Amino acid sequence: VQLQASGGGLVQAGGSLRLSCVRSGSRSDINVMGWYRQAPGKQRDLVAAIRSDGSTNYADSVKGRFAISRDDTVNTVYLQMNSLKPEDAAIYYCAAGIRTFLGTTAWSYWGQGTLVTVSS
């Protein structure tokens, strides 16, 4: 499985960007896709995730501003980011994983990251 992320760039505060993550290769047990971000000097944090049943979850800091979606016909997951703030600036990584019946997720595959810069 390979993940190719794109869509990052420079945007003014209040603006929008849409990130895309195209998945190639197959592994039938992957049942969750997500976006993480990592700012300089900070840990990589989960931003949003979408499961095979369509359910989603978001970090509190992006709720109401970001939306994750998927188009399985083109093996792509999107992250629509609106009302961007300077603190959203980071490298954004897409990831694919397996969510267990215990509710934990093993993120097995990672994309290369795409840089989002937000100017104030």
Side-chain angles (χ1 to χ4, degrees):
V1 175
Q2 292 184 325
L3 304 176
Q4 181 71 40
S6 62
L10 172 64
V11 64
Q12 287 188 331
S16 298
L17 281 175
R18 188 176 80 157
L19 306 182
S20 300
C21 175
V22 180
R23 188 176 92 187
S24 60
S26 63
R27 182 167 167 176
S28 60
D29 53 352
I30 290 175
N31 56 13
V32 59
M33 299 289 295
W35 287 95
Y36 276 74
R37 68 184 180 189
Q38 186 169 23
K42 295 189 177 181
Q43 67 180 22
R44 188 177 297 190
D45 292 323
L46 179 66
V47 176
I50 184 166
R51 290 168 281 282
S52 55
D53 63 0
S55 59
T56 59
N57 62 277
Y58 296 90
D60 288 342
S61 59
V62 306
K63 283 180 181 177
R65 299 188 298 121
F66 289 13
I68 188 170
S69 61
R70 61 194 294 165
D71 184 345
D72 292 336
T73 64
V74 291
N75 294 326
T76 302
V77 174
Y78 304 98
L79 185 67
Q80 178 66 44
M81 305 186 295
N82 300 324
S83 302
L84 282 160
K85 304 175 181 180
E87 51 264 42
D88 294 318
I91 298 175
Y92 283 71
Y93 298 90
C94 65
I98 301 167
R99 186 172 176 86
T100 73
F101 70 97
L102 296 175
T104 59
T105 299
W107 296 100
S108 302
Y109 302 96
W110 294 87
Q112 84 287 3
T114 185
L115 179 64
V116 172
T117 305
V118 184
S119 62
S120 56

